[in-house]
Amino acid sequence: MKIILLEDVKTLGKKGDIVDVSDGYARNFVLPKKLGVEANSKNKNDLKLQKANAEKVAKEQLEAAKELAGVLATKEVSLTIKAGEGGKTFGSVSSKEIAQAAKEQCGLEIDKKKIQLPEPIKSLGVFEVGVKLHPKVTGTLKVKVTEA
């Protein structure tokens, strides 16, 4: 019996796959637990429409991420940090502070988890910080750290 999987099943396949299983396995396990549906023409057509819709949404998200990356490249965020003699700083600038400053100064909602800092910024100057907007798109934001 051919089944369209509605969820990932460890031994069978991923969501959306059409798999061949024995009749008993389908009747007693897959169908009652709503892990899949019978692969008739209606369900195959629904699956095709869902895949097309998901593809369209993914393409729109990619375009929006590319547009936001272009906007980020033109923006600069300024932060202040206490510093002692010789430019030695007390503390550091974290991704949380960068996200908050971007919201206040530029009006951009950036998730702090998407800001890629290899290590917190512990010196004064201008830094280019990577922002992961999409699995295929990474933007850069300039962060200017000055003495308070």
Side-chain angles (χ1 to χ4, degrees), residues 1-5 12 17-21 26 30-31 35-39:
M1 176 183 281
K2 290 202 182 277
I3 298 288
I4 299 173
L5 295 176
L12 291 179
D17 289 350
I18 298 176
V19 293
D20 219 354
V21 296
V30 178
L31 297 176
L35 299 174
V37 293
E38 190 175 348

Side-chain angles (χ1 to χ4, degrees), residues 95-136:
S95 59
K96 180 180 179 183
E97 293 167 321
I98 295 171
Q100 188 175 2
K103 184 177 181 182
E104 291 169 0
Q105 296 172 16
C106 305
L108 297 171
E109 287 282 337
I110 300 173
D111 187 11
K112 69 178 182 180
K113 295 173 188 161
K114 295 186 180 195
I115 296 174
Q116 298 176 320
L117 280 176
E119 54 196 44
I121 299 171
K122 295 183 179 182
S123 59
L124 303 176
V126 178
F127 300 92
E128 297 240 340
V129 177
V131 180
K132 187 97 168 157
L133 301 170
H134 188 272
K136 297 178 183 176

Side-chain angles (χ1 to χ4, degrees), residues 32-74:
K33 292 194 175 197
K34 307 233 187 292
L35 299 174
V37 293
E38 190 175 348
N40 56 26
S41 60
K42 178 195 176 297
N43 291 338
K44 285 181 182 178
N45 193 31
D46 289 348
L47 176 67
K48 195 184 301 181
L49 291 173
Q50 286 174 353
K51 283 186 178 181
N53 188 32
E55 218 171 89
K56 180 182 173 191
V57 169
K59 188 175 180 181
E60 288 173 358
Q61 288 176 343
L62 179 63
E63 293 300 318
K66 285 180 180 177
E67 188 177 310
L68 184 56
V71 170
L72 276 179
T74 63

